[in-house]
């Protein structure tokens, strides 16, 4: 199951994110994309970037919130479809395709 924490984009970071996001738009609140986990580090996807294989993430670690441009996770599932992970390279927890209890979309 996905983490249930939602992250709000602070106004100062929203202005910066608007400049980085190719479309100039993104959701002002995003759900942590990691699987359910303990701890106070959370990552919400804001936008795929023009540079192939990178995305803009909102990272919260305790009270600190920052934008992060991270490369996509290169790991694919072993099944016949070779489904790709929707997270970033080096992410903690499991890959998005490993969670059989919930259908996970890379865009939500």
């Amino acid at each position: 199951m996905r983490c249930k924490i939602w992250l709000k984009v602070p106004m100062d970071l929203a202005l910066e994110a608007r400049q980085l996001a190719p479309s100039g738009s993104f959701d002002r609140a995003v759900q942590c994309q990691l699987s359910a986990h303990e701890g106070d580090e959370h990552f919400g996807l804001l936008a795929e970037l023009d540079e192939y294989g990178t995305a803009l993430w909102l990272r919260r670690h305790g009270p600190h919130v920052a934008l992060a441009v991270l490369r996509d996770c290169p790991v694919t599932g072993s099944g016949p479809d070779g489904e790709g992970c929707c997270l970033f390279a080096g992410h903690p927890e499991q890959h998005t395709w490993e969670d059989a209890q919930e259908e996970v979309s890379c865009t939500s």
Side-chain angles (χ1 to χ4, degrees), residues 9-24:
V9 182
M11 185 57 76
D12 60 328
L13 294 180
L15 296 173
E16 184 179 348
R18 189 165 287 120
Q19 293 174 346
L20 294 171
S23 69

Side-chain angles (χ1 to χ4, degrees), residues 75-85 95 97-98:
V75 180
T76 57
S78 59
D81 295 337
E83 185 177 348
C85 180
H95 299 288
W97 42 261
E98 290 178 310

Side-chain angles (χ1 to χ4, degrees), residues 16 35 38 40 54 89 100 106:
E16 184 179 348
S35 58
E38 298 291 323
D40 60 355
T54 60
C106 292

Side-chain angles (χ1 to χ4, degrees), residues 25-103:
S25 64
F26 54 89
D27 292 331
R28 290 293 312 270
V30 290
Q31 186 174 4
C32 178
Q33 295 297 298
L34 300 177
S35 58
H37 62 281
E38 298 291 323
D40 60 355
E41 187 167 46
H42 302 279
F43 291 86
L45 178 64
L46 293 178
E48 295 291 330
L49 299 180
D50 284 336
E51 180 183 339
Y52 180 77
T54 60
L56 180 63
W57 293 82
L58 183 66
R59 176 180 181 247
R60 186 179 90 193
H61 188 105
H64 305 288
V65 181
L67 296 178
V69 174
L70 302 172
R71 299 207 48 78
D72 293 345
C73 179
V75 180
T76 57
S78 59
D81 295 337
E83 185 177 348
C85 180
C86 298
L87 297 172
F88 51 89
H91 63 84
E93 309 303 325
Q94 60 194 23
H95 299 288
T96 52
W97 42 261
E98 290 178 310
D99 194 352
Q101 296 179 16
E102 177 182 349
E103 192 69 28

